[in-house]
Amino acid sequence: MARAVSTRRMAVATIAAWIVALIIFFPILYTIITSLKSEPEAIQGFNLIPSFTLESYVTVQTQRDYFKPFMNSVVLSVGSTLLALLVAVPAAWSMAFSPTNRTKDILMWMLSTKMMPAVAVLVPIYLIFRDTGLLDTRLGLTIMLTLINLPIVVWMLYTYFREIPGEILEAARMDGATLWGEIVYVLAPMAVPGIASTMLLNIILAWNEAFWTIRLTTTNAAPLTAFIASFSSPQGLFWAKLSAASTLAIAPILIMGWFSQKQLVRGLTFGAVK
Amino acid sequence: MGKIILRNVNKSFGATQVIPGIDLTIEDGEFVVFVGPSGCGKSTLLRLIAGLEDTTSGTIEIDGRDVTKAAPAKRGLAMVFQSYALYPHMTVKNNIAFPLKMAKVSPDVIEKKVTEAARVLNLTNYLERRPGQLSGGQRQRVAIGRAIVREPSAFLFDEPLSNLDAALRGTMRLEISELHQQLKTTMIYVTHDQVEAMTMADKIVVLNAGNIEQVGSPLDLYNKPDNLFVAGFIGSPRMNFVKGKAAEPYRAPTVGIRPEHLRLSTESGTWRGVVGVAEHLGSDTFLHVNVEDVGMVTVRAGGDFAVTHGDTVYLTPDENRIHRFDDKGLAIR
Ligand SMILES: Nc1ncnc2c1ncn2[C@@H]1O[C@H](COP(=O)(O)OP(=O)(O)OP(=O)(O)O)[C@@H](O)[C@H]1O
Ligand SMILES: [Mg+2]
């Protein structure tokens, strides 16, 4: 009896989970479906069965080179993530292991910068970029992405580092570890999972960032987000091509997410399963 | 060797003074227990000796060497933490080997010592596991293993057994005592469990609000407490304190008498009272007796002493085991 109920519950829960997942995934799925339609098909209206033509992909690739924005996306997301970690690891480290009574305030202040709408600083940032010659450069955008994601990176790392019990570090000190030994043998191994999942999440965030990447680039440094956007306006609305471009843009990050999901989930639940 | 001398050691956290100034000598090979109520500074004192906290003033000497400013690693001490503080990403074997590895001992010597420690501590079958896959008692043994392999000049224990259940605590207590007899190394042990203090210690240090109230052997403290605090803290159940009129015949403002030093009778005695709660432990029965002019008095009776709630009993203090205290709470001898 009990088993029957729990089996039925399991079935209901499974179906519910699938429905939720499908609802969340549906826009992406429909993008992929539309990308496999011909242009007339795409404007006809809602239709889940495409004609499986690849003509949009061919047009997209011949009209605009996919490779260049792809490389820009890689450079920007990986570059800005590494740069952010370079700053955030020591910052989060000192805040977690030798906090002062201002630490909480600083963390809150950093987070509060994320509450401000980006548009509010668009003009000053644009002017600064223009005057320093950083507009449409990889360097400029990397710096920009680093800065906007830095608060989140610091927060995430801070939370992970706080999970490392101080007594373990004290034990290492009692066991005769030098500062270097303490870092290499004890701290680093315990910090690496947190750093890795922060890194993955930040790469995804940076890859998907569309506000600044579209506004501060034209051609040279334009990443895939700008690549998608470029299909929407100048030529009117070509749904199939736009979808093909979107699919090409999100594919790499989806694949990366898929392969690293174990690491991502473990990182996100690090504290819970310790 | 492990003779430790504290001279006027003082510790403040910001404006709060936790240890006002302590002088203490711990002889080589002694098993010293720090006891005291929660928050009295036991852990702080231990951490000062370990070097995990800096002294505000005063000096700490180990084997004649002033180590007040020395880093923890340079003091030659090993510590076992209440939370075990094992390295979660290392196997049991690597946990135990870690201090040796830090001391750059050669791999075959490490192998030999770890194997030996694992044998002594019954961990041989668990060497390849991670701490997360061990029970509380096993983790504690790994922590002890990690401490013994480096052959420190003294061991520091901070409430090592308080996360274990009662039965396991009893076994581990014996194991640690046995270890001390084998190694004959100085051990400093912090606890607030007075059974641990009484059974394990060569010397007990009773702390109260950062001050040493008394230092002595377990029986010294039991038989000759210096003051009311020690008298009330050592011994279980607690010593009964009698004040005012009932204390007058004994020529002292306060008189203390332990539950086991009251003679119990159903017919006659010095004090007459009514039984409140009776706690039957099997071997003993503790009666809480409400005595007129005296108050609640705890008394130990034999396991099969048959009285129940509401019965009238008579209590007679054993004249030779009475403790007398003056107005300041100090013992009158
Ligand atoms: N880092 C610190 N900063 C400020 N105050 C502290 C700090 N560490 C300890 N204290 C204070 O010092 C006092 C003694 O603390 P300690 O941990 O030594 O007590 P304890 O005797 O070990 O207690 P317990 O039996 O509960 O472990 C406490 O009042 C505590 O609040
Ligand atoms: Mg403590």
Side-chain angles (χ1 to χ4, degrees):
Chain A
M1 208 33 212
R3 177 174 290 175
V5 169
S6 79
T7 317
R8 181 151 8 116
R9 256 200 209 158
M10 274 293 286
V12 171
T14 310
I15 291 167
W18 273 100
I19 291 172
V20 170
L22 204 64
I23 292 172
I24 294 172
F25 184 66
F26 189 74
I28 296 174
L29 182 67
Y30 200 64
T31 308
I32 297 170
I33 290 173
T34 309
S35 74
L36 296 171
K37 293 174 180 172
S38 66
E39 214 54 76
E41 253 183 289
I43 38 174
Q44 253 166 26
F46 189 76
N47 177 11
L48 283 177
I49 320 275
S51 57
F52 292 102
T53 168
L54 291 178
E55 64 182 45
S56 303
Y57 286 93
V58 176
T59 333
V60 164
Q61 181 55 26
T62 43
Q63 277 182 357
R64 301 225 197 343
D65 185 20
Y66 171 75
F67 188 70
K68 192 173 159 196
F70 170 78
M71 277 319 289
N72 279 337
S73 274
V74 171
V75 171
L76 294 186
S77 56
V78 175
S80 71
T81 300
L82 292 182
L83 208 59
L85 286 178
L86 209 64
V87 179
V89 169
W93 196 273
S94 51
M95 285 195 264
F97 291 116
S98 31
T100 69
N101 40 18
R102 289 258 169 273
T103 300
K104 277 262 137 61
D105 299 344
I106 293 176
L107 279 167
M108 270 324 286
W109 169 73
M110 288 200 304
L111 198 66
S112 72
T113 63
K114 295 298 289 179
M115 297 171 193
M116 177 182 63
V119 172
V121 286
L122 177 58
V123 173
I125 298 259
Y126 186 88
L127 292 179
I128 291 169
F129 266 58
R130 193 194 60 189
D131 296 345
T132 49
L134 288 173
L135 270 185
D136 202 21
T137 60
R138 284 175 173 181
L139 177 68
L141 263 197
T142 306
I143 293 172
M144 195 61 213
L145 290 179
T146 303
L147 292 179
I148 61 167
N149 285 331
L150 197 55
I152 291 178
V153 176
V154 172
W155 262 89
M156 273 186 78
L157 290 176
Y158 172 76
T159 322
Y160 287 125
F161 291 165
R162 280 278 301 269
E163 296 279 330
I164 300 174
E167 279 199 344
I168 292 186
L169 307 185
E170 292 181 341
R173 251 164 265 164
M174 291 300 295
D175 283 345
T178 55
L179 180 64
W180 186 239
E182 193 181 320
I183 292 173
V184 171
Y185 296 109
V186 182
L187 273 174
M190 291 201 292
V192 158
I195 294 176
S197 53
T198 307
M199 190 170 93
L200 286 172
L201 200 73
N202 197 61
I203 288 176
I204 294 173
L205 283 179
W207 186 280
N208 295 337
E209 206 290 323
F211 183 82
W212 294 105
T213 47
I214 291 173
R215 274 159 193 83
L216 297 179
T217 59
T218 46
T219 49
N220 287 331
L224 287 171
T225 46
F227 172 79
I228 303 174
S230 71
F231 279 90
S232 63
S233 43
Q235 312 171 334
L237 289 172
F238 289 96
W239 294 117
K241 280 194 213 60
L242 190 55
S243 301
S246 302
T247 308
L248 285 173
I250 57 177
I253 206 74
L254 274 185
I255 294 167
M256 190 197 92
W258 181 265
F259 279 115
S260 57
Q261 56 177 318
K262 212 167 145 193
Q263 179 62 54
L264 265 177
V265 172
R266 197 176 65 191
L268 293 173
T269 56
F270 178 67
V273 295
K274 174 188 68 169
Chain B
M1 284 295 284
K3 178 169 175 165
I4 300 171
I5 303 175
L6 309 187
R7 284 187 228 278
N8 196 20
V9 168
N10 197 299
K11 175 68 184 173
S12 303
F13 290 107
T16 23
Q17 193 175 47
V18 176
I19 311 267
I22 275 187
D23 289 290
L24 181 67
T25 302
I26 294 164
E27 298 296 337
D28 180 37
E30 246 179 350
F31 197 119
V32 176
V33 173
F34 293 170
V35 285
S38 189
C40 69
K42 305 181 292 289
S43 300
T44 306
L45 191 55
L46 197 71
R47 292 166 58 81
L48 285 169
I49 296 172
L52 295 172
E53 304 279 358
D54 294 325
T55 54
T56 306
S57 67
T59 57
I60 299 172
E61 219 173 76
I62 301 175
D63 292 330
R65 193 165 63 95
D66 183 349
V67 296
T68 315
K69 296 269 178 293
K74 302 272 180 261
R75 300 191 182 193
L77 308 174
M79 182 147 170
V80 176
F81 294 83
Q82 179 176 356
S83 64
Y84 317 133
L86 300 176
Y87 308 120
H89 54 287
M90 295 184 198
T91 59
V92 167
K93 187 180 198 167
N94 287 335
N95 262 282
I96 298 177
F98 188 73
L100 299 174
K101 201 169 149 193
M102 291 299 104
K104 305 212 161 38
V105 175
S106 75
D108 37 317
V109 177
I110 293 184
E111 183 71 31
K112 224 174 72 198
K113 289 196 170 181
V114 171
T115 311
E116 171 61 13
R119 191 188 58 75
V120 173
L121 294 163
N122 273 325
L123 287 168
T124 309
N125 295 331
Y126 305 102
L127 281 177
E128 295 309 322
R129 292 211 198 166
R130 298 274 172 94
Q133 301 163 306
L134 299 177
S135 73
Q138 290 163 344
R139 283 182 212 184
Q140 193 58 80
R141 279 202 283 269
V142 176
I144 293 172
R146 190 173 64 180
I148 59 177
V149 283
R150 13 181 328 220
E151 294 160 21
S153 55
F155 291 94
L156 311 177
F157 294 90
D158 192 354
E159 308 206 21
L161 306 185
S162 58
N163 287 345
L164 304 179
D165 67 48
L168 199 52
R169 220 159 39 219
T171 335
M172 289 300 297
R173 204 167 71 209
L174 284 178
E175 282 182 25
I176 293 176
S177 293
E178 211 150 89
L179 201 66
H180 180 240
Q181 258 144 38
Q182 278 174 29
L183 300 175
K184 302 199 166 39
T185 309
T186 311
M187 291 190 177
I188 307 179
Y189 190 103
V190 166
T191 181
H192 57 243
D193 178 345
Q194 61 151 307
V195 177
E196 279 173 23
M198 294 298 283
T199 54
M200 301 170 93
D202 293 322
K203 185 155 103 185
I204 296 181
V205 177
V206 182
L207 290 167
N208 181 24
N211 288 304
I212 296 185
E213 294 283 342
Q214 191 174 358
V215 179
S217 74
L219 288 182
D220 269 351
L221 300 192
Y222 178 82
N223 291 324
K224 289 183 227 126
D226 277 350
N227 53 45
L228 278 176
F229 182 83
V230 176
F233 197 79
I234 301 288
S236 165
R238 216 166 159 259
M239 185 186 280
N240 298 296
F241 292 112
V242 177
K243 289 193 179 76
K245 215 174 109 201
E248 269 166 25
Y250 303 98
R251 303 171 319 280
T254 309
V255 168
I257 180 80
R258 296 192 185 278
E260 52 272 38
H261 299 148
L262 282 162
R263 210 171 54 248
L264 189 64
S265 155
T266 48
E267 281 135 31
S268 65
T270 316
W271 297 330
R272 180 173 177 276
V274 179
V275 175
V277 178
E279 294 175 304
H280 296 278
L281 301 183
S283 58
D284 294 310
T285 299
F286 292 107
L287 304 177
H288 299 271
V289 181
N290 195 359
V291 180
E292 219 173 298
D293 293 339
V294 174
M296 275 314 246
V297 173
T298 311
V299 56
R300 190 179 78 178
D304 29 351
F305 191 83
V307 289
T308 50
H309 181 84
D311 289 356
T312 300
V313 291
Y314 295 88
L315 308 175
T316 312
D318 179 348
E319 296 284 340
N320 298 322
R321 318 289 308 246
I322 274 188
H323 303 272
R324 295 155 60 232
F325 300 97
D326 66 15
D327 290 329
K328 295 197 193 75
L330 299 179
I332 306 171
R333 295 252 160 80

